[in-house]
Amino acid sequence: MASESQRAIEAILMVADHPIEAGLLAQVLEVSPSRVEELCAELQASYEAEDRGFSIVRVAGGYRYQSHPDLAPYVERFVLEGQHARLSAAALETLAIVAYKQPISRAQVAAIRGVSADGVLRTLEQRGYIAEVGRDPGPGQAVLYGTTGTLLERLGLDSLAQLPPLGQFVPGPEVVEALELGLRADAAAARPEGRADPAAGGDALSAETLEDSDG
Amino acid sequence: MASESQRAIEAILMVADHPIEAGLLAQVLEVSPSRVEELCAELQASYEAEDRGFSIVRVAGGYRYQSHPDLAPYVERFVLEGQHARLSAAALETLAIVAYKQPISRAQVAAIRGVSADGVLRTLEQRGYIAEVGRDPGPGQAVLYGTTGTLLERLGLDSLAQLPPLGQFVPGPEVVEALELGLRADAAAARPEGRADPAAGGDALSAETLEDSDG
Amino acid sequence: MPYTVSTPVFEGPFDLLLQLITREQVDLWEVSLSAIVDGYVATLESIQASLDLETATEFLLIAAVLLELKTRRLLPGPDDVELDEELALWEERDLLLARLLECKTFKDAAGALTRMMDNAGRSYARTAGLEERFAGLAPDPLLGVTAERLRDALQLTLTPRPGPRVDLDHVAPVRVSVADAVAELAEELPRVGTITFGRLTAALGERLEVIVRFLAVLELCKQGRLEIDQAGNFADLHLRWIGGDGGAGPDVAVEEYAG
């Protein structure tokens, strides 16, 4: 049976997203760092005895949980099958929201997407496509994200002003269909001037379609 | 002793950054989703039996690891952003209205609350708890709001179906009666026979008398 | 005596009215419409400077209904009031009552949400993500992405989803109409003669149904077809049919109260 200190270590390491130094754990638990090392070793021994799928390891001067090496084949399948497929669609959506609505907070992205965006934002940040560009002045001082030069390079754009203009309307299903058809048929002809000036907005489609739906 | 499938679930959830659907775990493990549910329940039971500092829970449609509520005082020293800031009473009331009446427009929320809901809805949207889920088909095409997966995570719920039924909060007969009496213009109707109907009686002259005796 | 509300902790007119009424609830028989109205008007005066036009209108509308109810009580008799006018007033009052009930319902629901959040808030989710050794497995999520695809992704994100994408079983509204309940009672009560409100509603499962019955009883009383008697505070209501053979009676134009 785990002691209070052991349970606290489990809880903290479970929530942490980077290795936590023994000294820091010792401070929070009010025990000595060497005691923390003992406790972690005991926990690890119990996980081994129970044949758990994870372990507590010491990396980069701190402790963290990681998946057991035995189970790498499963984790790899998980990454390839689920994680990635989901990530690319979600990443595209998230990146689009940040690109067009920056600076924007994590919560605002989540509100637009309807689901939490934390993981995707972290991935995009790790890849260098987005970065923290400021803090919200309001209470909570939420981190605000924007896109980076790396992203522009990747998209082959000189500046954000070259992003394709967004329609001023929220398209209904029939408009989206028309939009997709229009893009497939001859995107360039349908938007003779739209590309040049994103600030003009509202002309993402042929004029006829837009007139009906813009409002 | 944990089975291979259980170990694989532990390993996968350990590297996940959001709740993982039973369906995806089932796909990776090549078992049925209901088997995944059984395995997760068994794992959770073993953590409880061993008094671990973490648990596997099902929120917003997927499984995830989280710290045990007991250990919040320790964990809170490591959580940087004040993600658990309290919502105002007005925000919570509005959230309740959106949760139970979704999809719902701004004007419908205002009608129930009797005051404009714009500011509060914006706050809830910024936090990612509600989002635009559609447009009213009627004239004006009012934005309709609904709740998000982020809210489910915040409430610790797997799905909206786990919200307590609204009927549970409809005031009991005593409250209805009290409110009804408070608004009663014709006090005579429910009076016991002994008490005179002031409208018919001769003491209707002084407003003071009326207020005192007539309640 | 008028209530002085030093700090407006209420959020709107219903909030204020609920507070004033429930404060009076200490003794049901002492509930004073006059005090409630005075308190309401006094509060309205003290906060009017801080109200925007829309909110002020809502406050005033309710104040008007309240004042009319108060006037009505102070008048010597109903003879000098047009029947239509009186019915309209009753309707206003029932509507106000229904809205107060709705407001109270969501207040209590909000309380439940708060407790759930507080409980859930004591656990923190693991969000560590992939270990380095797996990081190389996930290809660049932006492989082959163009600026146009980015734009299209946002357009699609902002496109209204087809209908609510949420499971709404638990919020299936219980629809019961006061008009239906009135018709039902007008059918049943002449046969029974006298009955207590408790027995009348004993078989009902939903609270809302009880409330609707209650409003229907008031409606019948108001039409002069039913007598209500109560022995004392919180005692059961005794109902006695005095409306003849029953049947449809006068047209009942009552609001449907949807929960």
Side-chain angles (χ1 to χ4, degrees):
Chain A
M1 211 57 30
S3 71
E4 171 90 354
S5 294
Q6 284 179 321
R7 299 181 72 230
I9 290 175
E10 290 185 315
I12 291 167
L13 295 187
M14 192 54 80
V15 168
D17 57 7
H18 59 273
I20 306 289
E21 293 84 42
L24 193 48
L25 288 171
Q27 219 176 305
V28 172
L29 302 180
E30 295 173 345
V31 299
S32 71
S34 61
R35 179 75 187 123
V36 167
E37 284 169 28
E38 275 170 34
L39 291 169
C40 286
E42 281 166 27
L43 282 173
Q44 175 51 24
S46 73
Y47 298 152
E48 253 166 53
E50 288 155 17
D51 209 13
R52 293 286 171 204
F54 52 80
S55 33
I56 284 185
V57 292
R58 190 159 184 168
V59 282
Y63 288 100
R64 78 167 183 198
Y65 276 113
Q66 65 181 39
S67 59
H68 197 285
D70 279 4
L71 302 157
Y74 291 101
V75 175
E76 281 163 21
R77 278 185 73 180
F78 166 70
V79 174
L80 291 173
E81 285 183 29
Q83 184 89 330
H84 171 55
R86 177 188 172 279
L87 191 65
S88 55
L92 186 64
E93 200 177 292
T94 305
L95 190 61
I97 293 168
V98 176
Y100 280 91
K101 306 246 170 187
Q102 59 187 308
I104 189 170
S105 74
R106 180 184 300 239
Q108 285 169 317
V109 175
I112 294 174
R113 292 193 55 223
V115 291
S116 161
D118 296 11
V120 181
L121 283 172
R122 196 174 322 114
T123 305
L124 291 172
E125 200 175 359
Q126 279 167 0
R127 299 261 178 187
Y129 293 145
I130 65 169
E132 187 178 329
V133 293
R135 292 263 171 177
D136 192 273
Q141 306 243 311
V143 171
L144 298 176
Y145 292 93
T147 53
T148 62
T150 309
L151 178 72
L152 288 179
E153 254 171 61
R154 189 67 207 255
L155 295 174
L157 302 179
D158 274 345
S159 79
L160 283 175
Q162 290 182 336
L163 277 177
L166 195 61
Q168 289 299 303
F169 60 101
V170 178
E174 69 292 343
V175 183
V176 172
E177 210 177 297
L179 181 83
E180 279 170 359
L181 277 173
L183 285 173
R184 237 174 282 144
D186 187 354
R191 292 190 310 276
E193 285 139 8
R195 283 164 186 278
D197 179 14
D203 51 358
L205 250 199
S206 71
E208 299 90 271
T209 324
L210 264 183
E211 266 166 26
D212 291 341
S213 52
D214 199 359
Chain B
M1 207 61 30
S3 71
E4 173 92 350
S5 294
Q6 284 179 322
R7 300 182 70 228
I9 290 175
E10 290 183 317
I12 290 170
L13 293 187
M14 206 50 87
V15 302
D17 58 13
H18 62 272
I20 305 297
E21 298 79 36
L24 177 53
L25 291 171
Q27 194 184 321
V28 173
L29 302 181
E30 294 176 341
V31 298
S32 71
S34 61
R35 180 74 190 127
V36 167
E37 285 170 27
E38 278 170 31
L39 292 169
C40 287
E42 284 166 23
L43 282 174
Q44 173 52 23
S46 72
Y47 298 153
E48 249 168 58
E50 289 154 18
D51 209 15
R52 296 285 173 206
F54 51 79
S55 27
I56 284 184
V57 292
R58 185 162 180 161
V59 285
Y63 288 98
R64 75 172 185 202
Y65 274 115
Q66 67 182 32
S67 60
H68 195 285
D70 279 2
L71 303 158
Y74 295 102
V75 174
E76 266 148 28
R77 309 196 196 177
F78 284 89
V79 182
L80 298 176
E81 285 184 50
Q83 47 182 294
H84 290 162
R86 291 292 288 263
L87 289 169
S88 70
L92 280 161
E93 242 174 86
T94 305
L95 192 58
I97 293 170
V98 175
Y100 283 98
K101 295 262 184 181
Q102 59 188 308
I104 188 171
S105 74
R106 184 177 299 240
Q108 287 169 314
V109 174
I112 293 176
R113 298 193 56 234
V115 285
S116 155
D118 296 7
V120 181
L121 284 172
R122 205 173 316 116
T123 305
L124 292 172
E125 201 173 356
Q126 276 167 2
R127 294 245 188 153
Y129 294 156
I130 64 169
E132 190 178 325
V133 294
R135 294 261 172 176
D136 194 271
Q141 304 245 309
V143 171
L144 297 176
Y145 292 95
T147 54
T148 63
T150 305
L151 178 69
L152 287 180
E153 286 187 40
R154 183 76 176 82
L155 291 172
L157 296 182
D158 186 29
S159 80
L160 280 176
Q162 292 181 333
L163 277 178
L166 187 60
Q168 190 177 315
F169 305 111
V170 173
E174 341 66 64
V175 177
V176 179
E177 207 172 330
L179 294 180
E180 201 279 327
L181 272 168
L183 294 178
R184 180 166 295 180
D186 177 3
R191 285 291 151 116
E193 308 248 313
R195 300 192 64 155
D197 179 350
D203 56 354
L205 291 175
S206 147
E208 294 311 313
T209 323
L210 259 187
E211 285 188 26
D212 289 341
S213 63
D214 183 30
Chain C
M1 35 105 227
Y3 287 98
T4 45
V5 181
S6 50
T7 43
V9 286
F10 50 88
E11 258 291 318
F14 300 127
D15 247 16
L16 173 57
L17 196 50
L18 270 178
Q19 271 185 30
L20 291 170
I21 294 178
T22 41
R23 214 185 292 198
E24 288 260 329
Q25 198 192 333
V26 186
D27 182 346
L28 274 189
W29 292 114
E30 297 310 317
V31 168
S32 158
L33 178 67
S34 281
I36 291 166
V37 176
D38 293 347
Y40 190 91
V41 173
T43 311
L44 182 53
E45 272 169 9
S46 73
I47 59 168
Q48 62 182 348
S50 59
L51 293 179
D52 60 71
L53 187 63
E54 209 173 312
T55 311
T57 310
E58 191 76 38
F59 269 98
L60 282 175
L61 194 70
I62 289 164
V65 175
L66 288 173
L67 283 172
E68 204 171 350
L69 287 170
K70 178 179 174 182
T71 316
R72 182 65 194 78
R73 187 183 278 193
L74 293 177
L75 283 178
D79 296 346
D80 51 350
V81 184
E82 291 289 324
L83 190 62
D84 284 354
E85 244 175 67
E86 202 185 339
L87 280 178
L89 179 59
W90 276 105
E91 221 174 278
E92 286 289 333
R93 198 207 65 133
D94 283 357
L95 204 56
L96 190 55
L97 182 56
R99 294 185 72 177
L100 281 178
L101 288 174
E102 191 171 43
C103 187
K104 179 104 175 66
T105 301
F106 284 110
K107 266 187 176 314
D108 293 347
L113 290 189
T114 309
R115 285 189 294 280
M116 292 166 80
M117 279 191 181
D118 286 349
N119 283 335
R122 288 187 292 128
S123 291
Y124 293 82
R126 177 166 179 87
T127 58
L130 283 183
E131 295 147 21
E132 310 76 37
R133 63 190 149 124
F134 300 112
L137 273 180
D140 186 334
L142 291 187
L143 220 59
V145 167
T146 62
E148 279 74 22
R149 271 193 65 199
L150 210 56
R151 191 264 320 274
D152 296 349
L154 185 62
Q155 302 264 42
L156 278 172
T157 305
L158 297 179
T159 301
R161 282 120 172 122
R165 70 212 146 71
V166 288
D167 176 10
L168 292 172
D169 287 354
H170 66 294
V171 291
V174 187
R175 285 196 180 275
V176 262
S177 101
V178 178
D180 286 351
V182 166
E184 202 179 306
L185 290 181
E187 186 91 359
E188 197 160 316
L189 287 176
R191 255 178 289 150
V192 185
T194 62
I195 190 171
T196 65
F197 186 72
R199 279 196 56 198
L200 188 66
T201 53
L204 299 180
E206 288 280 336
R207 253 178 188 181
L208 192 58
E209 292 179 286
V210 177
I211 292 169
V212 166
R213 280 269 169 130
F214 188 70
L215 291 175
V217 163
L218 293 176
E219 179 67 33
L220 286 167
C221 172
K222 163 169 108 191
Q223 289 174 8
R225 304 163 77 196
L226 189 70
E227 251 181 21
I228 309 176
D229 200 2
Q230 190 176 32
N233 295 2
F234 303 108
D236 210 346
L237 293 169
H238 289 263
L239 313 177
R240 190 158 68 88
W241 185 256
I242 52 170
D245 288 343
D251 277 345
V252 190
V254 270
E255 294 285 321
E256 185 174 79
Y257 182 59

